[in-house]
Amino acid sequence: MSTRDQIVEAADGLFYEQGFAHTSFADVAGAVGISRGNFYYHFRTKDEILDAVIARRVEATRAMLARWEEESGDPAGRIRCFIRILVANGGKIAAFGCPVGSLTAELAKLGHAAQAEAGQIFTLFRDWLRAQFEALGFAAEADGLAMYLLSRSQGAAVLGSAFRDEAYLRREADDLCAWLDAKLSPTRKD
Amino acid sequence: MSTRDQIVEAADGLFYEQGFAHTSFADVAGAVGISRGNFYYHFRTKDEILDAVIARRVEATRAMLARWEEESGDPAGRIRCFIRILVANGGKIAAFGCPVGSLTAELAKLGHAAQAEAGQIFTLFRDWLRAQFEALGFAAEADGLAMYLLSRSQGAAVLGSAFRDEAYLRREADDLCAWLDAKLSPTRKD
DNA sequence: GCTGCTTTAGGACAATCGTCCTAGGGCCGT
DNA sequence: ACGGCCCTAGGACGATTGTCCTAAAGCAGC
C-alpha cells in the first residue's frame, strides 16, 4: 500500500475516533510512522487530508452498497443489511458514534466547507434506501421511509454512544427489522 | 450578572456553536470582553469551564422540565412540549445540531471524563419522559417509549443539521405528535 | 556512472494553545 | 485616611499547532 493510502487510512480512523479538530498532523504521522516532512509532501494542508478521507469514505460507502446489491437478491434483505450495521459495528458505534453523523456534525460546527461533501454520504444512503423501498412498491412513500430509517439509525447511534450501551444498539436493530416486517405485511399492524 | 456567569454563558454558546475542542480560552475571553488573566482568576483549567457549562445546562434542563410540569396539565401536553423543541430551536439545530447530543458525542471521542456528566442530561429527559408515559398508563412500556422519543429527536437533529433543513425538523415534530396521538387512541392504528 | 525525478527525513517558522504569575485598580470596614 | 481583600489587566512560559524549506536517500533511464 502506498504511503499516501496509509496516511488517508490512518487519518480516517483518527478522525473517527478522536474527531477532526482534535487530530493533529503529528498524530497521523505518528500513527503511520513517517516524518512530518514526508507528510507534507503528500498533503500540504489539513483540509486536503480531510477531502481525501471524505473521498475514501464516499468510495467505501459506494462499494458497500454495491456489495449489498449483489449479495442480497430482494430489496428487503438489502435494507436489513443496512440495519445490521448497527450490530456489526456496535462496539465502535457505542464508543465513537456513527462515523458519518459525527463528522458532518463536527464540520457543521466548524463551518467547514467540506461539510457538504461529508453530508453527501447521507445522500448516498438515502437514495439507495429509497430505491429499495421503491422496488418494494412504496412509490411516493419511499423517500420518507428512507429518511425514517436514516433518522432512527442516527438516533440509535447517538444514544448508544451517549449511554455506551451496545445492547441498546442490538435492540434498536431488532426493532427496526420488526418495523420493516410490519411494513411489508400489510395484513396486520402491531 | 457576575463575570463568572458571563463567562459560563459565553462558553456555553461557543461550545455549542463551534465545539469544545475548537473553542479556546481566547475565544471565550474575547466573547465576554475580559482579559485572559481575569479569566484565569475564575477558571484555572478548561475542564473547570466545561464542568460549569455542563452544570449550567443540567440546571437549565431541570428548570425547563419543571416549567413544563407547571404549564401543561396533562402528561400528553408535556410530551408535546418536548417534541416542540425541534421546532422552537429549529434554526440553531439545523445549524449546530442538538446541544446535548453533539457535546456528549464530542466528549466521547475525546475520551473526556466529563462525558458521563454531559450524558446525565439525557438521563434527565429520559426519566422525565418515562414518568409522563407512566402517568398515561404505559407502565412497563414507559422507558422504551421515552427512549424512542429521545432517539427520534436525536436522529432528526443529526439529519436536520446534516441537510441544513429546518422544514424537515418541523415535519419530524409533526410526525412525532401524530405518533403520540396514535399511541393515546388505541382504537385505530395508522 | 551520471542525471533527474520521486520520495523521505528533520528541522525551522510564526502563531496559538492552556496555564500561570505579578502588579495594580476598586471598594470594603475601620 | 488607611490597610486588606476581591477583582482585573497584561504579559510570560513551554508546548503544540499547521505550514514550509532544504538536504539527501532511493531509484529510474540513458
Side-chain angles (χ1 to χ4, degrees):
Chain A
M1 188 165 53
S2 74
T3 302
R4 190 196 147 93
D5 289 341
Q6 280 182 282
I7 292 176
V8 176
E9 184 182 25
D12 192 344
L14 287 172
F15 288 175
Y16 177 34
E17 296 186 3
Q18 43 180 320
F20 171 69
H22 197 247
T23 299
S24 68
F25 274 69
D27 289 335
V28 184
V32 181
I34 61 172
S35 66
R36 278 163 301 148
N38 187 8
F39 198 110
Y40 181 72
Y41 173 76
H42 295 283
F43 296 98
R44 312 187 85 76
T45 70
K46 206 179 174 184
D47 290 351
E48 279 185 25
I49 315 175
L50 178 61
D51 288 340
V53 166
I54 293 176
R56 175 191 154 96
R57 292 194 185 181
V58 166
E59 196 45 49
T61 304
R62 279 216 172 84
M64 185 172 64
L65 295 178
R67 195 174 349 111
W68 290 346
E69 206 88 27
E70 292 175 5
E71 289 177 0
S72 200
D74 67 314
R78 294 172 188 165
I79 294 173
R80 267 185 283 269
C81 286
F82 171 79
I83 296 173
R84 260 193 297 270
I85 309 181
L86 284 177
V87 180
N89 300 344
K92 303 210 84 176
I93 292 175
F96 310 111
C98 167
V100 187
S102 57
L103 181 64
T104 56
E106 183 179 1
L107 296 182
K109 277 184 198 295
L110 267 53
H112 200 288
Q115 195 251 359
E117 282 193 82
Q120 192 195 343
I121 306 181
F122 272 136
T123 305
L124 235 51
F125 279 113
R126 178 183 186 172
D127 292 346
W128 185 85
L129 285 171
R130 192 190 58 223
Q132 309 310 315
F133 280 113
E134 283 172 350
L136 288 171
F138 299 96
E141 223 185 334
D143 186 60
L145 294 173
M147 284 295 279
Y148 179 84
L149 257 185
L150 268 185
S151 174
R152 288 284 307 262
S153 308
Q154 289 301 309
V158 170
L159 293 187
S161 77
F163 291 120
R164 301 199 171 280
D165 189 344
E166 198 174 347
Y168 165 75
L169 293 173
R170 281 193 294 273
R171 288 199 303 274
E172 282 295 290
D174 289 344
D175 195 59
L176 284 175
C177 283
W179 167 85
L180 181 61
D181 291 339
K183 268 285 163 191
L184 293 177
S185 66
T187 60
R188 194 95 206 98
K189 298 297 295 303
D190 132 70
Chain B
M1 188 166 51
S2 74
T3 302
R4 190 195 147 93
D5 290 341
Q6 280 183 283
I7 291 176
V8 177
E9 185 182 23
D12 193 344
L14 286 172
F15 288 175
Y16 177 36
E17 296 186 2
Q18 43 180 316
F20 172 69
H22 197 248
T23 299
S24 67
F25 274 68
D27 288 335
V28 183
V32 181
I34 61 171
S35 67
R36 277 163 301 147
N38 186 10
F39 198 108
Y40 181 72
Y41 174 77
H42 295 282
F43 296 98
R44 314 186 84 77
T45 69
K46 204 178 174 183
D47 291 350
E48 278 185 26
I49 314 175
L50 179 60
D51 288 340
V53 166
I54 293 175
R56 175 191 154 96
R57 292 194 184 181
V58 166
E59 196 44 50
T61 305
R62 280 217 172 84
M64 185 172 63
L65 295 178
R67 193 170 353 109
W68 291 346
E69 206 89 28
E70 291 176 6
E71 289 177 0
S72 200
D74 65 315
R78 294 171 188 166
I79 295 173
R80 268 185 282 267
C81 286
F82 171 80
I83 296 173
R84 261 194 295 269
I85 309 181
L86 284 177
V87 180
N89 300 345
K92 304 209 83 176
I93 292 176
F96 310 111
C98 168
V100 187
S102 57
L103 182 63
T104 56
E106 184 179 1
L107 296 182
K109 278 186 198 293
L110 267 52
H112 200 288
Q115 195 251 358
E117 281 194 82
Q120 192 195 343
I121 305 181
F122 272 135
T123 305
L124 234 51
F125 279 113
R126 179 183 185 171
D127 292 346
W128 185 86
L129 285 171
R130 193 191 58 223
Q132 309 310 315
F133 280 114
E134 282 171 350
L136 288 171
F138 300 95
E141 225 186 333
D143 185 61
L145 294 174
M147 285 294 279
Y148 179 84
L149 257 186
L150 267 185
S151 173
R152 288 284 307 262
S153 309
Q154 288 301 310
V158 170
L159 293 188
S161 78
F163 292 120
R164 301 197 171 281
D165 190 344
E166 198 174 345
Y168 166 74
L169 293 173
R170 281 193 294 271
R171 288 198 303 273
E172 284 293 290
D174 289 343
D175 195 59
L176 284 174
C177 282
W179 167 84
L180 180 62
D181 291 338
K183 269 284 163 192
L184 293 177
S185 67
T187 61
R188 193 98 206 97
K189 300 297 295 300
D190 137 67

